[in-house]
Amino acid sequence: MALKKGSVSGFAKHEDEGGNGGIGGYRLVLAVLVALSVLASLPFVVVSDFHTIGEGVISSSPSKGVIDDIPVKTNNTATIGVNSSVNNNFTLSLSLVGDSSVDAISMLSQTTVVSRGTLQVEEDTSLGAARRIAREERHENQLLELDLDPPNEDTIVKLENANMQASELVDSSIIGKYSKWKKENQNKNQDSTIRLMRDQIIMARIYLSISEKKRKHDLVQELQICLKRSRGVLGEANIDAELHYSAPKKIKAMADVLSKARDQLFDCKLVTRKLRAMLLTEEEKVRRLKRQNTFLIQLGVKGIPGGIRCLSLRLTIDYYLLPPERRNFPRSENLEDPRFHHYALSTDNVLAAAVVVNSTVMNAKDSSKHVFHLVTDSLNFGALKMWFLLNPPEEATIHVENLDELKWLNSSYCPVLRQLNSAAMREYYFKAGHSTTRSSSASNLKYRNPKYLSMLNHLRFYLPQIFPELDKILFLDDDIVVQKDLTGLWLVDLEGKVNGAVETCVENFHRFDKYLNFSNSFIAREFDPNACGWAYGMNIFDLKEWKKRNLTGVYHTWQNLNEDRLLWKLGTLPPGLMTFYGLTYSLNKSWHVLGLGYNPSINPSEIENAAVIHYNGNMKPWMEMAMTKYRPYWTKYIDYDNPYLRQCNFVK
């Protein structure tokens, strides 16, 4: 039906008379019509500046203005959000949920006005109520979740204890072993250029591998050139200050090539596989280097420094040039007098023995009361005697004995000598089939260490037989330094026990199960796996009680049972723990501080306050591998102006 002209004119006239209010009414009618058409037919609609961005989501994208994200969520209605972007573009979105879609769209049409690219959001009373309800429901849900399983006091205590233990572990690992790591990372920007170059090199290696597989020859060439130049600039630098001045240019060039490679080749799966392969390769390199390091350390421990060989040779020559009447020490009448303080030391190292004797005498209140019994092999007998003939230890008494002259110490009496001479033992220690490569024979080489094969190391089990007239004796290793007067050790009441020693167990470390094979029935039946271990190196022995209990016979019994090495593998400490089990008196730890041959983090105050410090471990103070900060405690007792030491090129 056609409209009358007057009707149209009247409508237009009404608009003109109404001014802005007429236009606003027209737009309101239009908005209502659009809303009804959406509900009647389509789930997606485009009208004016609105466009759809998903099912049930309406979005508007004006070109100006900045509005922060404003999310509103109601459980059974909708989610409204105003999302802004960096370049001043933003969207208004509405996610429809459940049967409240009509109310949500109606609410949106009543409260959102879009005009000339500027979006203004006005809340009416109903929208404010919806937001308040949503907040309250979220809060209630959170409280409900907490109330479902409220933690009791025990649970809270357990959680607190677990967190405390975890924090203690982290603190101890960072402050102690990984203190260097901690210091390096206190400043995140420290040497950042070097780290950036290393990271670039890693990524370049990854893309080089991928580009070679995908036959990107031009990219391969560019990456190879950049890798060569970056490695050349990096060189042996460890800090940014050591880098070549051209480092920034190389970094920029590498970044350009890496950006190009990423655009052409980036594949997350390929990069991940390559990184994993590189990691496994580096781990294998680390393992191989560790094996080589073990081999070289064992080789270094086995060898004798050239200076010590030179010293022994020169002293031996000069000793046998002496007339027989000048080869004897004074005060021999003190050697069997139990009123003196007697020391036992078995060694084949002249310089080490000199430090032990000198440090003991220099720190003694009355050196005339001390008697030193040194036992060595025939190869070093002349050298050791000559050194102390030329360098007598003040008023102390000294005696040097040749191991080979102890005729009673033979294979028929001593199980160790019999075992060392057996074909099975020679096969075990010097097996022809053993590999001679650095990587595979490291573990075998330690079995050939002289300290495991030399009878000098086993003499500690024969002290009553070597010194039958003595009641007490202080046994010392040759890798110790005495820092205080040791007279007090002879006054210690051992309470009927035989061995006075410092215990070494800490928590689960250095207990019997570390040294002995508790899968063996003999071991499991006789010993407690949690019994505390103790240290050789400074031990006060009651020889009268030793002989009464026939402990040398006990040692022989265990040594015979271990001929096939099923009870323990190496050394004299395991049989010592077994022989003196239940017969060891625990001395105060300040008498004997250990670890200077392997532990770099000993408290300096412990070292200063110790009566005896012990370089147990591979890093002996007379070797080049010794730890520098501990070496002065040893070298202070050596006179480097001695002509023999100068001739053999000894230096501090």
Side-chain angles (χ1 to χ4, degrees), residues 141-158:
N141 289 336
Q142 291 172 356
L143 292 176
L144 181 61
E145 290 174 0
L146 291 175
D147 291 337
L148 288 176
D149 188 17
N152 55 31
E153 187 175 351
D154 292 339
T155 303
I156 294 173
V157 170
K158 288 180 181 179

Side-chain angles (χ1 to χ4, degrees), residues 378-427:
S378 57
L379 189 62
N380 293 282
F381 175 73
L384 207 57
K385 286 197 71 173
M386 188 65 186
W387 176 268
F388 288 107
L389 286 170
L390 295 173
N391 305 281
E394 298 183 6
E395 297 180 358
T397 302
I398 195 161
H399 176 68
V400 179
E401 194 161 1
N402 189 344
L403 173 66
D404 295 334
E405 293 179 1
L406 300 175
K407 301 302 182 183
W408 55 267
L409 195 62
N410 51 53
S411 58
S412 62
Y413 173 70
C414 176
V416 171
L417 281 176
R418 184 175 65 256
Q419 291 168 8
L420 289 175
N421 291 330
S422 68
M425 189 65 74
R426 287 198 300 268
E427 177 75 5

Side-chain angles (χ1 to χ4, degrees), residues 127-346:
L127 183 57
R131 286 183 170 176
R132 185 174 64 256
I133 292 170
R135 285 195 298 269
E136 291 174 356
E137 287 182 351
R138 286 199 302 271
H139 185 60
E140 289 175 359
N141 289 336
Q142 291 172 356
L143 292 176
L144 181 61
E145 290 174 0
L146 291 175
D147 291 337
L148 288 176
D149 188 17
N152 55 31
E153 187 175 351
D154 292 339
T155 303
I156 294 173
V157 170
K158 288 180 181 179
L159 288 172
E160 289 176 350
N161 290 338
N163 289 333
M164 288 174 64
Q165 291 176 0
S167 65
E168 288 173 0
L169 290 173
V170 172
D171 289 342
S172 64
S173 63
I174 292 176
I175 293 173
K177 186 175 180 180
Y178 299 105
S179 58
K180 183 178 179 182
W181 179 90
K182 182 184 178 186
K183 290 177 183 177
E184 180 183 6
N185 285 273
Q186 282 175 347
N187 181 2
K188 295 289 185 180
N189 296 320
Q190 182 180 2
D191 302 322
S192 57
T193 305
I194 279 186
R195 288 202 293 271
L196 174 59
M197 294 190 72
R198 288 171 178 167
D199 290 345
Q200 284 186 328
I201 288 173
I202 291 172
M203 291 307 301
R205 289 172 57 195
I206 293 172
Y207 284 125
L208 179 61
S209 175
I210 296 173
S211 59
E212 287 174 344
K213 290 181 179 179
K214 296 193 174 183
R215 302 181 184 278
K216 300 283 186 179
H217 301 297
D218 293 341
L219 192 56
V220 168
Q221 188 175 5
E222 291 183 64
L223 287 167
Q224 287 175 339
I225 292 172
C226 285
L227 271 171
K228 183 177 180 181
R229 290 175 178 173
S230 293
R231 284 168 172 163
V233 170
L234 192 59
E236 300 296 327
N238 292 311
I239 58 175
D240 286 355
E242 296 175 354
L243 286 172
H244 193 264
Y245 67 87
S246 64
K249 293 182 179 179
K250 300 299 186 289
I251 289 173
K252 186 178 183 305
M254 177 68 88
D256 293 340
V257 176
L258 288 176
S259 179
K260 180 179 177 181
R262 183 179 63 247
D263 293 340
Q264 295 185 26
L265 300 173
F266 184 77
D267 183 322
C268 187
K269 291 183 178 180
L270 275 177
V271 171
T272 302
R273 285 201 298 269
K274 182 60 181 175
L275 279 171
R276 187 180 293 114
M278 290 174 66
L279 178 62
L280 293 174
T281 301
E282 294 304 318
E283 287 178 349
E284 179 57 34
K285 287 181 181 178
V286 169
R287 284 193 292 269
R288 185 166 60 251
L289 289 173
K290 283 183 177 179
R291 289 195 298 268
Q292 293 177 357
N293 180 62
T294 303
F295 174 89
L296 294 174
I297 287 175
Q298 294 298 333
L299 188 63
V301 171
K302 179 185 176 184
I304 300 174
I308 292 178
R309 288 201 305 270
C310 167
L311 178 63
S312 181
L313 181 60
R314 288 181 177 275
L315 288 169
T316 300
I317 292 172
D318 290 349
Y319 173 77
Y320 287 107
L321 292 176
L322 287 175
E325 62 273 12
R326 294 181 57 191
R327 298 179 184 178
N328 298 320
F329 293 106
R331 297 182 288 275
S332 59
E333 65 276 6
N334 298 336
L335 295 179
E336 296 181 351
D337 191 337
R339 296 173 299 175
F340 288 83
H341 304 312
H342 294 264
Y343 299 82
L345 174 67
S346 57

Side-chain angles (χ1 to χ4, degrees), residues 29 89 97 101 105 124 130 139 198 206 229 258 298 307 309 321 359 422 449 472 487 498 506 511 620 630 633:
V29 172
N89 294 324
V97 181
S101 305
I105 294 178
D124 63 359
H139 185 60
R198 288 171 178 167
I206 293 172
R229 290 175 178 173
L258 288 176
Q298 294 298 333
R309 288 201 305 270
L321 292 176
S359 64
S422 68
N449 191 312
K472 272 190 176 182
T487 303
V498 178
V506 179
R511 297 189 180 273
K620 303 300 184 187
Y630 297 150
Y633 295 108

